[in-house]
Amino acid sequence: MSGDSTASEYDSDVEAAIRENHPALITYITAGDPSLEDTKAYVEALDRGGSDLIELGLPFSEPIAEGPTIQAAINRALEAGTTPEGFFELIDDLDTEAPLLVMTYYNMILQYGPSAAVRPFVERAAETGLSGIIVPDLPAEEADPLREACDDHGLDLVFIVAPTTEGERLERIMSQVSGFAYVQARLGTTGARADVSNATHDSLSRLDDYDVPKAVGFGVSEGDHAAEIIEADADGVIVGSALVDIVAEHGSAGAAPAADALEAKARELKRGALRGGETLTNDTEDTPEPEQP
């Protein structure tokens, strides 16, 4: 179970976490890397470090959106014997302030139940306290069954908006999305980068007319990146590969070293996001009012 049960003006725990903790930090790690027991310690560390939402990757054998870092984590998790039911038991055992989301692939959702249907997975996700689902390989045009199941069980369905998404396809995605729009900062797969893509500003500006929080991911690894993304008018920043790298580096030494490093990294990233928010606020306040005719 996760999330704060206090009353909110928002129907969605996910949207509330972003709006009420703006600018928000959204973190990702792969469940089961190197074990589900260690993952529990890592999630609690990210929660303590200031994560406002936490995504947990449910390992799938063909993760098409992932770069080498997360692919390697998924392989480690699968080799460790991570299963969907083990994942759900982990979620049920967690107690975090940050709402939790699952990020996985559509076949994993379809294969969970006795027949090729999405409802058994969604029902189990809601039962354990998950707040939302992210499915990178699900086209918005084919999302109606999952969208309806999520609506029936109070879960958000988050879609990824690529830098090239526009026109009717963008309209379709934004009509299906809830919680937040996951804005892809650059083309290609996930992975930590040394800088923020120039496409970020254009991607965010295309979403100005949509009343849903926008969070930017793919390539974010440092506090300065978080600040720059928030300065570009994002509502949140998403960090994954940089955290998975920490698990890969420290995970073999037991849960504590990686947990400590994850908590410290989350604090750095949250400070960066807050710094970006302060800069944006100051810039707005310094903008002169237009002269009246």
Side-chain angles (χ1 to χ4, degrees):
M1 294 288 189
S2 68
D4 191 335
S5 60
T6 54
S8 168
E9 64 179 288
Y10 304 100
D11 293 332
S12 157
D13 290 342
V14 173
E15 182 172 358
I18 295 176
R19 300 286 194 195
E20 294 172 1
N21 298 287
H22 191 280
L25 171 63
I26 304 170
T27 52
Y28 166 97
I29 56 172
T30 302
D33 174 30
S35 71
L36 289 171
E37 182 180 353
D38 286 353
T39 300
K40 183 176 186 293
Y42 300 161
V43 171
E44 291 167 348
L46 291 170
D47 194 46
R48 290 193 303 271
S51 297
D52 301 301
L53 288 169
I54 300 173
E55 301 173 9
L56 282 165
L58 174 56
F60 178 62
S61 58
E62 299 177 24
I64 57 174
E66 314 302 353
T69 295
I70 294 180
Q71 283 193 17
I74 288 171
N75 289 337
R76 291 191 296 270
L78 291 172
E79 290 169 2
T82 304
T83 65
E85 195 51 41
F87 171 85
F88 284 130
E89 289 172 2
L90 165 70
I91 300 300
D92 205 22
D93 196 36
L94 282 164
D95 183 15
T96 59
E97 289 191 21
L100 304 177
L101 300 95
V102 57
M103 186 171 187
T104 194
Y105 289 79
Y106 199 47
N107 266 345
M108 181 66 75
I109 294 172
L110 289 174
Q111 292 170 7
Y112 180 74
S115 61
V118 299
R119 285 189 176 269
F121 184 96
V122 175
E123 289 168 2
R124 186 73 173 108
E127 181 183 274
T128 60
L130 282 165
S131 296
I133 301 176
I134 306 170
V135 189
D137 64 337
L138 177 62
E141 296 80 3
E142 301 173 16
D144 285 350
L146 186 57
R147 172 75 277 165
E148 291 169 7
C150 286
D151 286 346
D152 289 346
H153 290 86
L155 298 184
D156 282 308
L157 181 58
V158 176
F159 285 87
I160 296 175
V161 182
T164 53
T165 304
E166 57 186 13
E168 290 184 7
R169 178 159 175 74
L170 179 62
E171 290 284 347
R172 180 66 173 169
I173 289 174
M174 298 307 291
S175 71
Q176 294 273 28
V177 74
S178 64
F180 69 95
Y182 189 134
V183 181
Q184 185 176 335
R186 61 183 77 232
L187 292 173
T189 57
T190 59
R193 304 295 203 280
D195 58 4
V196 175
S197 169
N198 292 331
T200 300
H201 296 74
D202 293 337
S203 295
L204 286 167
S205 65
R206 282 187 287 114
L207 303 181
D208 282 346
D209 294 336
Y210 299 98
D211 186 24
V212 62
K214 295 90 179 173
V216 175
F218 279 59
V220 182
S221 62
E222 300 174 4
D224 288 345
H225 296 168
E228 185 175 346
I229 285 169
I230 298 303
E231 287 170 21
D233 211 18
D235 299 297
V237 59
I238 306 167
V239 184
S241 292
L243 302 174
V244 174
D245 278 336
I246 289 173
V247 173
E249 180 180 354
H250 299 286
S252 61
D260 290 345
L262 288 168
E263 182 176 348
K265 190 66 173 179
R267 292 187 189 281
E268 173 202 332
L269 292 161
K270 183 64 178 182
R271 284 196 300 267
L274 291 170
R275 189 166 68 249
E278 290 170 0
T279 300
L280 184 64
T281 299
N282 291 337
D283 287 348
T284 302
E285 290 175 349
D286 291 342
T287 302
E289 293 289 333
E291 294 185 8
Q292 298 296 320

